[in-house]
Amino acid sequence: MLVLLSLHLALALIAPLLVRWWGRRAFYPLALAPAAALGWAVARSGTVRDHGAVTETYGWVSQLHLDLALRLDDLSWLMVLLVGGVGALVLIYCARYFADGEPGLGRFAAVFVGFAGAMFGLVVADNLVLLYVLWELTTVCSYLLIGQHPEKWASRRAAAQALVVTSAGGLAMLVGLIMLGQHAGTYRISELAHAPLPGGGHLATVVVLILVGALTKSAIFPVSFWLPAAMAAPTPVSAYLHAAAMVKAGVYLVALLAPIFATVSPWRPMVLVAGAVTMILGGWAAMRQTDLKLLLAYGTVSQLGLLFILTGAGTRDAALAGTTMLLAHALFKSALFLVVGIVDHSTGTRELPSLSGLGRRMPLVCAAAVLAAASMAGLPPLLGFVGKEAVFEAFRHDPLLLALLVVGATLTVAYSLRFVWGAFAAKRGLPATPVRPVAVAMAAPVALLALTGLALGVLSGPVDDLLVPYAARFGPGEYHLAVWHGPGLAVGLSLVALAAGGLLFALREPMARVVTRLHAPFDGATAYEKITYGLDRVAVEVTGATQRGSLPQYLGTILVVLVVVPGGALLLGRPWPDRVALWHSPVQIVIAAVLVTAAVLTVRARRRLTAMILVGVTGYGTAMMFILGGAPDLALTQFLVETVSIVMFVLVLRRLPANFSARPLRRSRWLRAAIGTAVGLVVTGLALVAAGGRQAVPISVDFAELAVSYGHGRNIVNVTLVDIRAWDTMGEIAVLVVAATGVASLIFQHPRAGPGPRRPEVGRRLLGRPERRRERVWLRAGPTLRDRRRSIVFEVVTRLIFHTIVLFSLYLVFSGHNAPGGGFSGGLVAGLALAVRYFAGGRYELDEAAPVDAGLVLGAGLFVSVGAGVLALMLGADVLQSAVLDLHLPVVGEVHLVTSLFFDIGVYLIVVGLVLDILRSLGAEVDRQIEAGVGPETELEPLRERELT
């Protein structure tokens, strides 16, 4: 199963590339992923028939009860057949439905295959948390698929509506799943039936929350409105997501948990009432539609209500009827949606009043549509008839619910006839609709689905053998699927439903006025619009009242809340440690005094540059504290980070006025000083409480031994970063890459394109000054600066120390595993070397020093770091664990190499790329903007270039 999930993921990742190469024909190889899932499930039919299961378990995050537990049993086997089989056919259909060169086709293909993989994972998941993760992944994919045409307002609105509704239900379901797993003592779904479940109101709350998620996912009343709106999606999306896959996820969840919760008090009332209301209202709404796709959408809503009743009723016969109808519905409804796509593709319209005579012009498509519609209406010997007989038989002892089911079946017959008549019949007074030829790749999936519904109806005995194992979870029973059980109540009710439905269709013209007028005055879509409008209005008012455009006000509000809430808790609780050592060395008192003085002067400073220098003093003072505390690695990093921060401040301050403000700031300065002092006291108190409130033994006490035995290094800090807690570091460097991209996107007016054009003459001649062309040049781009902006001493020093600094940065990388240093420190040192080149020679000198795109360096660093984890795995260790390579090189001799070095090299490249990106964006790009006259020029105006001729 994990292999099948990986196959879906791999094909989803390369789908855009395949579409770029092969166009729409790429859908054929992409269909291999769901087809493989189908074939795999078919090969395990014998196991399912014998009440067996196929399981796979892979450890992940055991502390969160999260593992990759996959299980194929009787119910998930059926869902895999639908997800894989229908998914493969719809992908084949897409190969002729879409046109070559259609915008966003590569993204559509990738998301579609990704959705199929997520749906496959959802139905085989045997862990509650994993099920939720995949549940939400299908929600995100459906959002992208429904919004395939973002230029259309209807697509954007429908996608957002589906996302909001299903995500809200998913969050409620998540709470219910966690409550269930915690009280049951297991998150394994297969173990819940034998686990001790909570009782009383707690269990009732769990049931309600889980059913809310299922209701929203399957478009059950009162949130049925999102499914018809989702018909703005391309027809293949509707045929797959809204007939065979996504909307069935809620039904699947109900069927999965019904054997456990069917006897809990809120379960049956919620399931039966919501399902019955959805069934009747959906069927009645389908009678009003003139759009073929909307007709099927409301019909789908109606039949989802029926499936909810069947799978949630909690009886053996209802479960058998539910799985039969689940299979039948996926076959006939996906076929009919694909028929609508063919009609729309061939005629350019889906409107019933505009279609006429298509039955003669598309005889094969018409025949397939008639077969599928007949199964939907419940005509023998199709699978839909077999399922409908089972439905009536399952509820023969519940007269009220049985009557509602007959009404639902009647409406189904009526709108089935309306669909066939509206799409293919020749209408009086309306000329035959011109059509284009239908491609085989579009007609074949429809025919195969319709014929499968016919074949399975005839072969209802073998189908019964495969579906009874799930129904047996509810206890023994005598009813079995068959095309003909002889005269009885079920046959009589089927005839009543067929006759009444035919009568409704025959009276369609007089009934049209009644159907049009008879509708609810207030529906779910209107309620949704009013709620979202109200939330938008509240958001606008709150934003207008609080977001005044003042960054000090925003920051002050955050800090005041920090002082009031945690600070108030400290004052009320008084959880102080018994003993606090204020200092360990008199030098610490001196440094603390310097820190306090610099902080106070920073608040009183009027000039930005002065404040920035004073802030730097506080940073360097903190580094001195680290040195006194015996943490050279932390001190080195703090020194370097503070220096790089000062460089960034200098670059930014060029675009700002020299002073903070011309207004009197005495009162505000005192207020800010008070807030800062209060925050400092609160944070200090929190640190003391956190350090003094420890009860368990810190895990870091073992790091010294683990650094040597596990990480093969003596620098505990570096080994912790690149080995013991390498996953944390991986997340942090990913954030660095994102931050660099964000900075570049904010500064650059055009897409980042790497270094500027190289100047081949730079350093060889001073243009415009023929008498000085033979003058020695220390930096290649030095001549591009004005004479009054140049410093020959600075250029000479830069020329002398640049390569030494770079070599020192490399030394820090290679020595960091056993001595102070590492990739982060080394990258900062290399970045400072580039900053020196920039300040000495300007932006062209930066391009001479690093003629490479910063984005490429960032990507290469991330690739190397990830590759280090894969390398460790290939050498037999865990992902990102240090593995040792002992090499004997002919010239060098014995080499003891630890794979975490490659991880550190990746970190080094990422930091260098980040600094380079900052220098190009806040430095070189700002230089270019100032030269172009964009924005103010300050006393720190950048060095200007002289024109090259």
Side-chain angles (χ1 to χ4, degrees):
M1 286 177 276
L2 185 61
V3 173
L4 290 172
L5 286 171
S6 302
L7 176 62
H8 281 85
L9 175 61
L11 288 179
L13 291 175
I14 66 173
L17 186 61
L18 295 180
V19 171
R20 182 181 301 177
W21 288 347
W22 301 334
R24 60 183 182 178
R25 292 186 298 277
F27 283 102
Y28 293 128
L30 293 178
L32 292 175
L38 171 67
W40 178 81
V42 170
R44 279 140 186 85
S45 300
T47 303
V48 172
R49 186 177 57 248
D50 297 335
H51 300 262
V54 181
T55 60
E56 294 179 15
T57 304
Y58 306 92
W60 193 1
V61 188
S62 58
Q63 294 88 344
L64 299 178
H65 304 282
L66 181 58
D67 51 12
L68 293 177
L70 308 175
R71 189 171 191 268
L72 182 78
D73 56 18
D74 36 43
L75 181 61
S76 57
W77 171 83
L78 174 61
M79 291 298 298
V80 170
L81 290 181
L82 301 181
V83 171
V86 177
L89 291 176
V90 172
L91 282 169
I92 293 172
Y93 179 93
C94 289
R96 296 308 299 268
Y97 178 84
F98 293 104
D100 276 324
E102 182 163 332
L105 192 58
R107 177 176 62 86
F108 174 87
V111 177
F112 195 102
V113 176
F115 173 86
M119 194 67 202
F120 170 78
L122 188 154
V123 299
V124 298
D126 193 32
N127 182 284
L128 292 174
V129 180
L130 178 63
L131 182 144
Y132 171 76
V133 171
L134 294 164
W135 181 285
E136 290 304 312
L137 187 57
T138 61
T139 296
V140 174
C141 291
S142 70
Y143 167 76
L144 297 174
L145 292 172
I146 295 171
Q148 170 63 15
H149 300 294
E151 70 280 0
K152 297 180 180 179
W153 177 82
S155 294
R156 298 195 304 271
R157 175 179 175 273
Q161 194 176 85
L163 179 67
V164 169
V165 172
T166 55
S167 296
L171 290 174
M173 185 188 75
L174 174 62
V175 176
L177 294 178
I178 293 175
M179 292 173 64
L180 174 62
Q182 288 297 111
H183 283 78
T186 178
Y187 278 76
R188 287 291 181 88
I189 300 173
S190 56
E191 297 174 358
L192 290 177
H194 308 290
L197 297 178
H202 187 96
L203 185 57
T205 303
V206 168
V207 167
V208 171
L209 291 173
I210 292 176
L211 284 180
V212 167
L215 291 170
T216 55
K217 197 74 164 182
S218 291
I220 302 299
F221 177 85
V223 292
S224 306
F225 56 88
W226 73 260
L227 181 56
M231 294 302 107
T235 300
V237 175
S238 302
Y240 189 45
L241 273 67
H242 306 138
M246 177 181 168
V247 294
K248 297 291 177 60
V251 175
Y252 166 75
L253 184 63
V254 171
L256 184 67
L257 299 180
I260 305 172
F261 295 133
T263 58
V264 179
S265 56
W267 179 275
R268 280 179 61 88
M270 282 189 67
V271 168
L272 299 182
V273 172
V277 173
T278 304
M279 177 180 63
I280 302 300
L281 294 183
W284 184 258
M287 297 291 295
R288 299 200 305 265
Q289 306 307 314
T290 59
D291 184 311
L292 288 175
K293 201 172 181 182
L294 282 178
L295 188 155
L296 291 180
Y298 281 103
T300 300
V301 169
S302 175
Q303 286 159 333
L304 286 172
L306 171 64
L307 291 173
F308 233 65
I309 295 173
L310 299 176
T311 55
T315 65
R316 184 261 185 194
D317 291 348
L320 180 59
T323 51
T324 306
M325 288 302 299
L326 188 69
L327 175 59
H329 179 264
L331 294 173
F332 64 66
K333 191 54 65 72
S334 56
L336 292 175
F337 270 118
L338 296 181
V339 167
V340 172
I342 292 175
V343 171
D344 191 16
H345 195 268
S346 300
T347 65
T349 182
R350 303 191 304 251
E351 291 294 325
L352 272 67
S354 302
L355 297 171
S356 179
L358 294 188
R360 293 183 178 181
R361 294 173 177 265
M362 299 179 175
L364 295 179
V365 175
C366 178
V370 168
L371 269 180
S375 183
M376 182 165 64
L379 291 177
L382 293 141
L383 186 60
F385 169 78
V386 175
K388 186 171 66 173
E389 294 278 290
V391 170
F392 292 150
E393 187 65 32
F395 293 93
R396 62 183 304 157
H397 301 298
D398 190 338
L400 176 58
L401 195 53
L402 185 61
L404 293 175
L405 291 172
V406 173
V407 173
T410 299
L411 293 173
T412 303
V413 172
Y415 64 70
S416 298
L417 292 171
R418 179 177 174 81
F419 176 87
V420 175
W421 168 81
F424 298 101
K427 300 180 179 64
R428 185 181 306 170
L430 189 65
T433 305
V435 299
R436 288 180 291 180
V438 179
V440 174
M442 294 181 72
V446 177
L448 185 57
L449 289 168
L451 290 173
T452 302
L454 174 62
L456 293 182
V458 175
L459 300 174
S460 54
V463 172
D464 179 83
D465 293 337
L466 294 168
L467 299 184
V468 160
Y470 166 72
R473 298 187 191 183
F474 298 89
E478 298 181 356
Y479 183 83
H480 291 276
L481 302 178
V483 178
W484 178 248
H485 288 91
L489 177 63
V491 175
L493 294 178
S494 294
L495 293 175
V496 170
L498 290 172
L503 182 62
L504 279 178
F505 173 73
L507 299 175
R508 59 186 177 277
E509 293 184 1
M511 285 290 296
R513 292 186 292 271
V514 178
V515 171
T516 303
R517 294 179 180 179
L518 189 59
H519 60 85
F522 193 80
D523 57 8
T526 305
Y528 173 84
E529 294 294 339
K530 289 185 178 296
I531 292 173
T532 53
Y533 175 79
L535 290 175
D536 290 343
R537 188 69 257 170
V538 171
V540 169
E541 295 297 334
V542 172
T543 302
T546 59
Q547 304 294 312
R548 296 295 186 178
S550 172
L551 292 179
Q553 178 183 345
Y554 301 157
L555 182 59
T557 302
I558 295 172
L559 295 178
V560 167
V561 172
L562 173 65
V563 171
V564 172
V565 180
L570 288 176
L571 292 176
L572 295 176
R574 301 180 182 273
W576 312 113
D578 297 332
R579 181 182 177 184
V580 176
L582 296 180
W583 63 81
H584 298 286
S585 168
V587 181
Q588 290 178 324
I589 302 176
V590 177
I591 297 175
V594 173
L595 288 173
V596 172
T597 303
V600 172
L601 292 177
T602 300
V603 177
R604 295 180 57 82
R606 291 179 177 272
R607 296 175 62 84
R608 299 178 191 273
L609 184 60
T610 303
M612 180 268 295
I613 294 173
L614 290 170
V615 170
V617 171
T618 63
Y620 289 128
T622 304
M624 292 299 299
M625 288 290 192
F626 289 150
I627 292 177
L628 294 176
D633 252 19
L634 294 179
L636 175 63
T637 304
Q638 178 66 28
F639 274 119
L640 294 173
V641 168
E642 199 63 43
T643 305
V644 172
S645 300
I646 291 175
V647 171
M648 294 172 57
F649 272 117
V650 169
L651 296 175
V652 172
L653 290 181
R654 298 178 302 165
R655 303 288 281 171
L656 297 175
N659 294 331
F660 283 108
S661 174
R663 297 172 297 164
L665 295 175
R666 179 171 299 178
R667 181 180 302 175
S668 64
R669 284 204 304 271
W670 282 110
L671 177 62
R672 293 171 186 177
I675 294 176
T677 303
V679 170
L681 292 174
V682 169
V683 172
T684 302
L686 291 174
L688 290 174
V689 171
R694 183 185 298 277
Q695 297 179 357
V697 178
I699 61 172
S700 58
V701 298
D702 298 325
F703 280 10
E705 189 275 330
L706 288 174
V708 177
S709 63
Y710 191 77
H712 310 286
R714 292 187 297 274
N715 184 347
I716 301 175
V717 174
N718 182 264
V719 174
T720 300
L721 293 175
V722 301
D723 191 313
I724 300 175
R725 303 194 65 171
W727 280 110
D728 292 348
T729 307
M730 180 67 72
E732 291 162 3
I733 61 177
V735 170
L736 279 178
V737 174
V738 174
T741 304
V743 170
S745 63
L746 288 173
I747 300 300
F748 284 97
Q749 296 178 349
H750 303 286
R752 178 174 60 195
R758 302 291 298 280
R759 301 296 180 96
E761 291 103 349
V762 167
R764 288 201 295 266
R765 59 192 181 100
L766 300 177
L767 299 173
R769 304 287 298 277
E771 69 279 5
R772 297 178 58 190
R773 290 184 181 179
R774 294 185 179 181
E775 178 182 339
R776 181 175 179 82
V777 176
W778 291 95
L779 296 179
R780 289 178 56 83
T784 64
L785 300 177
R786 292 179 179 179
D787 288 343
R788 65 187 181 90
R789 298 294 190 185
R790 295 183 65 188
S791 171
I792 299 301
V793 174
F794 194 11
E795 292 184 17
V796 172
V797 173
T798 301
R799 176 72 175 269
L800 293 177
I801 68 172
F802 174 76
H803 299 91
T804 303
I805 296 175
V806 173
L807 286 176
F808 178 62
S809 73
L810 295 175
Y811 167 79
L812 290 176
V813 175
F814 285 90
S815 66
H817 212 58
N818 294 288
F824 189 75
S825 300
L828 289 174
V829 170
L832 288 173
L834 294 175
V836 170
R837 287 285 293 267
Y838 166 73
F839 284 121
R843 60 190 177 110
Y844 287 113
E845 185 61 30
L846 177 64
D847 293 339
E848 293 291 332
V852 63
D853 182 18
L856 182 62
V857 179
L858 288 165
L862 192 59
F863 176 79
V864 171
S865 295
V866 174
V870 177
L871 177 61
L873 188 64
M874 294 173 60
L875 294 175
D878 294 334
V879 178
L880 294 177
Q881 178 187 347
S882 295
V884 180
L885 296 175
D886 291 316
L887 306 176
H888 179 76
L889 302 179
V891 178
V892 180
E894 297 293 335
V895 175
H896 184 74
L897 185 63
V898 183
T899 56
S900 59
L901 172 64
F902 300 105
F903 187 86
D904 240 1
I905 292 174
V907 175
Y908 176 87
L909 292 174
I910 289 174
V911 175
V912 171
L914 174 63
V915 176
L916 181 60
D917 214 4
I918 292 173
L919 291 174
R920 288 226 173 94
S921 54
L922 298 179
E925 178 65 12
V926 173
D927 288 348
R928 190 196 63 78
Q929 293 178 10
I930 293 177
E931 293 164 9
V934 181
E937 300 184 9
T938 68
E939 60 179 349
L940 292 174
E941 176 185 350
L943 306 178
R944 295 182 177 275
E945 304 170 17
R946 73 173 62 227
E947 293 291 333
L948 292 178
T949 60

